[in-house]
Amino acid sequence: MSGVLPDRLAPGQPYPLGATSDGLGVNFAVFSANASRIDLCIFDERGRKELQRLPLPECTNEIWHGYLPDAAPGLVYGYRAYGPYDPRNGHRFNPHKLLLDPYAAELTGPPRWTDALFGYRLGGPRGDLTPDRRDSAPAMPKAVVTDNAFHWGERRKPPTPWEHTVIYEAHARGVSMRRDDVRAHLRGTVAALSNPRFIEHLHKIGVTALELLPVQAFLQDKFLVEKQLGNYWGYSTLSYFAPEPAYLRQGGPNDLRMAIRRLQAAGIEVILDVVYNHTCEGDETGPTLSWRGLDNASYYRLIPGDERYYINDTGCGNTLNLSHPRVLQMVMDSLRHWATAYRVDGFRFDLGVTLGREGHGFDPGSGFFDAVLQDPVLARLKLISEPWDVGPDGYQLGRQPPGFAEWNDKFRDTMRRFWRGDAGQRGEMAERLAGSSDLFDRRHRRPWASINFVASHDGFTTRDVVTYARKYNEANLEDNRDGHSNDYSCNWGAEGPSDDAYIEEIRGRVQRSLLASSFLSYGTPMLLAGDEFGNSQQGNNNAYCQDNAVSWLDWQQAASPAGRALIDFIGRLAAVRRDHPSLRVDNYGNGRREVAPGREGIAWFDVDGQPMTFEGWHDGEGRALAVRRMVATEEGLDVTLTLLNGGYEDLLFVLPDEGTAWRMLIDSSRPEAPAEQVHGHHFNLHAHGIAVFSGGPRGKEHS
């Protein structure tokens, strides 16, 4: 724009929200139902000097708006909002605080922690009831006007069907910080995600979708900075439309677009972990950065009758008020922004139960779920919910609406307990292998709705599940009181790393059996980044603040003989799952349907090769199981048999005699053994081992 700024704005339009360039100027629109005035603040290109303060001249349907002629992308700006500072009634307006546009699509950088970021006088005798009059602008990030011009090239590949999907949960920074084959200035940035060797690695282990921990701009929380720690995971959102600046090089948001384009060109879908349940502003003692200063009473759920305080169903200090149409609109606009401007393939919703809460509690038919599922852009994407929060009745596994998949922590816990050798797990194991039909076989949902994982970013890595009997979170400086209290782990004879060959052999076998369980169960397997080569977090099961070698993937471990062997094992597992439709059915009804004369899609057997009995299912000491699965394909019947020995002794299984010849494909106790024909009717399976076989007509060769 020209060097001379106008002394007033033109009226502009109330839609779209945010800052929108039309080639001749920029329209600004921001929601506030309770403000009496909102000023647009223009800054120099580095965001250091405020050049002009212009009131938004119009307010239409609670949308404040104005138009700045001759402005263009690259303009740096923020807002100041006027209105009552009355926390007891839910209002926290303070024009001395520069506010980030909730629709900001690019930021100048992170906040710089000073007391001026707080809307109230820190340390004052009246707490948050006394407004602070210091200008926060020098410490605040500013918004940058952007355009979404990007050449995406040829038409995208069709999405991977759910039943073929294998998810790899990774951290955008930590996945590359210790990769020697990535140039130093690219490590820890989104550009490294599309490194050809990383993509080759994903292909080798059968991954079809990369699920990234939050890449929306987030806050480095004050209490962590004071401890010289960091908000590594990123679950403290500062902007719902802008990528995290620390993950970008000099190219700005297009760095992320380029990475997504290259991943998708290689057949890897990109799913974003998003946090719409709370914001980084925390409770009443938190800073005023955006939503709180624009319209606290609208954006947040406040305690009725005591509006000074926030409903905290998230455990993070506040809860977004998705029952308000403008707040819901912001979330929907944000989702569509990432789906269109960045072309992501799906979303994983942190604390999905919070998103489904209405005034009466969790509702699968809430406004949020209904809005997403009717949206022509969003409904076609992969949608995954974390089905719990810390509010009343916060555990809602299996109750998200059709169209959403769910993180299945019952799968995780059952696998860990079964392979640890706990008693009474055989029936639970069968439910999880069958796609957790007890949880998801309702409302015409499909097995893919169960996201099957044995480890995620939150908790032990799979290697640590077999290495530590308790957590070691001392580095978090919370006296080891944070994190899960029970990870269902076992150290198998020594706490921590061991040079005992016997202990390490057992650990390796259990580790492989755990990981194999996700690939050999109905549902959608999810692999925690690094689990495929034995990555450890040194026993830390809550590494949210460890932006260091504790959390960064150790690629030297991947290059070790043990790491390479485990990678090969995972690759074989993925290939077996891909090649055998009986391991990835898309309908629960297959298990009950007669696929061949006298044979249903699923059959369960005991160690003696006989069908499981009522007494067998209820034998608390039973730790072994066999499941035969079968589907009809255009080429004929696909039959697989999976043997599981969760006990402490080797077992000689009698293979079910159904006129089938069995060929062993994978045995977790012999990970390098080639596929081989089984002669006779018996198979010796080591303790804590899992093996899978393909079946064909006896007397004929089959694969």
Side-chain angles (χ1 to χ4, degrees):
M1 64 180 297
S2 63
V4 179
L5 289 166
D7 58 1
R8 64 175 58 88
L9 298 171
Q13 300 294 326
Y15 186 85
L17 288 161
T20 308
S21 171
D22 63 4
L24 299 176
V26 175
N27 189 79
F28 296 88
V30 62
F31 160 71
S32 179
N34 294 293
S36 59
R37 167 183 160 187
I38 293 183
D39 288 352
L40 172 69
C41 303
I42 307 297
F43 289 82
D44 65 5
E45 62 182 10
R46 302 182 69 179
R48 294 183 176 179
K49 182 179 180 181
E50 186 173 342
L51 304 176
Q52 188 80 319
R53 194 176 300 187
L54 302 167
L56 294 177
E58 297 287 343
C59 184
T60 304
N61 298 329
E62 300 179 336
I63 303 294
W64 297 79
H65 52 95
Y67 182 84
L68 183 61
D70 301 323
L75 183 77
V76 178
Y77 72 100
Y79 290 119
R80 297 180 190 271
Y82 296 77
Y85 188 85
D86 184 10
R88 288 193 177 95
N89 288 301
H91 302 303
R92 296 178 178 268
F93 293 99
N94 188 336
H96 300 285
K97 309 304 167 184
L98 187 76
L99 305 174
L100 191 64
D101 183 356
Y103 280 66
E106 183 178 354
L107 307 185
T108 57
R112 178 175 55 84
W113 278 110
T114 72
D115 289 356
L117 290 178
F118 294 82
Y120 63 95
R121 176 66 67 172
L122 277 178
R126 301 179 66 237
D128 61 309
L129 298 178
T130 302
D132 183 275
R133 301 186 184 282
R134 287 169 290 186
D135 185 8
S136 68
M140 273 292 294
K142 284 79 179 178
V144 181
V145 178
T146 65
D147 61 38
N148 292 323
F150 184 78
H151 182 62
W152 286 96
E154 297 180 1
R155 187 167 60 89
R156 296 166 61 182
K157 293 184 178 180
T160 302
W162 264 113
E163 59 270 22
H164 290 276
T165 297
V166 176
I167 297 173
Y168 188 81
E169 191 205 20
H171 190 284
R173 173 172 166 82
V175 79
S176 64
M177 284 298 293
R178 300 176 72 180
R179 283 194 74 104
D180 294 337
D181 57 350
V182 174
R183 287 181 289 176
H185 72 286
L186 296 181
R187 293 174 196 160
T189 71
V190 293
L193 297 174
S194 57
N195 178 278
R197 292 188 181 180
F198 180 57
I199 291 177
E200 180 183 2
H201 174 75
L202 297 181
H203 284 159
K204 185 172 185 179
I205 58 177
V207 167
T208 69
L210 178 63
E211 181 179 306
L212 295 173
L213 269 69
V215 298
Q216 293 174 340
F218 57 87
L219 181 69
Q220 292 294 337
D221 301 272
K222 187 172 186 287
F223 79 96
L224 292 175
V225 173
E226 290 173 344
K227 294 179 180 180
Q228 296 185 326
L229 297 171
N231 178 6
Y232 176 66
W233 287 352
Y235 291 95
S236 194
T237 309
L238 176 64
S239 173
Y240 288 121
F241 292 78
E244 167 55 36
Y247 295 166
L248 308 176
R249 299 180 301 164
Q250 302 302 315
N254 279 350
D255 285 352
L256 181 56
R257 293 185 175 97
M258 290 178 66
I260 291 171
R261 180 184 175 189
R262 288 170 177 159
L263 285 161
Q264 290 173 339
I268 306 294
E269 295 182 311
V270 177
I271 298 170
L272 299 186
D273 194 336
V274 288
V275 190
Y276 296 112
N277 54 79
H278 74 283
T279 77
C280 65
E281 292 183 309
D283 63 13
E284 71 277 1
T285 65
T288 295
L289 307 174
S290 179
W291 309 272
R292 172 172 284 143
L294 283 166
D295 194 348
N296 184 70
S298 293
Y299 277 108
Y300 295 114
R301 293 190 187 274
L302 307 179
I303 295 178
D306 199 3
E307 284 79 7
R308 177 182 177 183
Y309 301 106
Y310 297 78
I311 292 174
N312 187 17
D313 291 328
T314 65
C316 299
N318 65 55
T319 304
L320 269 181
N321 182 18
L322 293 189
S323 296
H324 193 292
R326 291 299 185 192
V327 183
L328 179 59
Q329 178 187 355
M330 177 189 70
V331 171
M332 296 298 295
D333 287 348
S334 170
L335 290 169
R336 279 189 294 267
H337 172 73
W338 293 98
T340 56
Y342 290 87
R343 295 195 179 184
V344 301
D345 300 284
F347 300 97
R348 180 265 186 188
F349 295 95
D350 180 64
L351 300 186
V353 169
T354 300
L355 306 182
R357 285 189 181 275
E358 298 290 0
H360 57 278
F362 175 75
D363 184 351
S366 71
F368 167 77
F369 287 132
D370 287 349
V372 171
L373 292 172
Q374 65 78 43
D375 188 281
V377 174
L378 303 177
R380 62 181 177 82
L381 303 182
K382 288 186 168 69
L383 306 171
I384 304 169
S385 178
E386 184 182 41
W388 50 78
D389 67 11
V390 302
D393 297 319
Y395 190 71
Q396 297 288 341
L397 178 63
R399 292 199 63 225
Q400 315 300 291
F404 279 77
E406 302 178 37
W407 271 27
N408 188 349
D409 65 326
K410 282 194 174 181
F411 181 94
R412 175 198 65 197
D413 294 347
T414 298
M415 296 303 131
R416 293 184 182 188
R417 296 187 67 187
F418 180 87
W419 292 116
R420 190 173 65 174
D422 289 11
Q425 295 300 305
R426 188 149 60 170
E428 277 288 314
M429 186 64 165
E431 287 284 11
R432 306 308 144 225
L433 286 169
S436 296
S437 59
D438 58 328
L439 299 169
F440 297 103
D441 188 9
R442 61 188 68 170
R443 300 187 65 186
H444 305 286
R445 299 181 77 179
R446 301 297 183 96
W448 56 255
S450 177
I451 303 296
N452 297 332
F453 64 101
V454 295
S456 68
H457 71 275
D458 188 2
F460 276 157
T461 68
T462 299
R463 179 62 188 177
D464 288 352
V465 168
V466 301
T467 307
Y468 297 93
R470 66 179 186 90
K471 63 186 178 183
Y472 293 86
N473 297 356
E474 288 82 3
N476 297 354
L477 305 181
E478 297 181 41
D479 299 323
N480 206 37
R481 292 175 299 183
D482 60 306
H484 298 301
S485 59
N486 191 348
D487 282 285
Y488 300 115
S489 61
C490 180
N491 62 27
W492 300 101
E495 187 73 350
S498 172
D499 57 6
D500 186 305
Y502 176 74
I503 291 174
E504 283 302 299
E505 195 279 329
I506 295 177
R507 286 177 175 177
R509 195 187 318 153
V510 176
Q511 184 178 347
R512 290 188 293 271
S513 294
L514 280 164
L515 294 169
S517 300
S518 294
F519 285 86
L520 301 177
S521 299
Y522 291 166
T524 304
M526 185 182 82
L527 186 67
L528 172 64
D531 269 4
E532 73 274 20
F533 53 79
N535 189 67
S536 171
Q537 292 180 171
Q538 304 166 33
N540 192 318
N541 75 352
N542 189 34
Y544 76 102
C545 57
Q546 299 298 321
D547 189 3
N548 50 48
V550 171
S551 296
W552 301 340
L553 297 193
D554 181 5
W555 289 97
Q556 288 188 353
Q557 172 65 27
S560 70
R564 290 198 301 269
L566 188 54
I567 289 171
D568 289 342
F569 178 75
I570 298 299
R572 290 179 63 193
L573 274 172
V576 166
R577 178 183 173 84
R578 182 176 59 247
D579 295 342
H580 291 279
S582 58
L583 297 174
R584 47 176 173 79
V585 297
D586 66 351
N587 194 303
Y588 283 112
N590 180 77
R592 300 182 293 268
R593 185 182 304 118
E594 187 176 89
V595 179
R599 294 195 287 177
E600 295 181 336
I602 299 180
W604 305 94
F605 300 89
D606 214 330
V607 178
D608 60 5
Q610 296 302 307
M612 285 292 295
T613 63
F614 178 85
E615 292 76 17
W617 283 122
H618 291 85
D619 178 6
E621 295 304 312
R623 292 179 172 86
L625 185 65
V627 54
R628 189 268 299 141
R629 288 172 282 191
M630 177 188 302
V631 295
T633 70
E634 292 182 359
E635 291 77 26
L637 292 178
D638 180 75
V639 184
T640 54
L641 174 70
T642 304
L643 307 182
L644 305 97
N645 178 8
Y648 297 92
E649 304 291 339
D650 296 356
L651 287 175
L652 186 66
F653 278 79
V654 177
L655 303 183
D657 185 4
E658 295 187 314
T660 302
W662 299 109
R663 184 169 184 258
M664 192 277 293
L665 302 176
I666 289 182
D667 181 353
S668 67
S669 62
R670 300 182 297 141
E672 297 177 0
E676 57 188 8
Q677 197 75 28
V678 178
H679 299 287
H681 301 285
H682 299 84
F683 186 86
N684 186 62
L685 184 59
H686 286 286
H688 311 293
I690 187 171
V692 61
F693 306 75
S694 64
R698 183 166 292 134
K700 295 183 179 180
E701 294 295 327
H702 65 279
S703 60

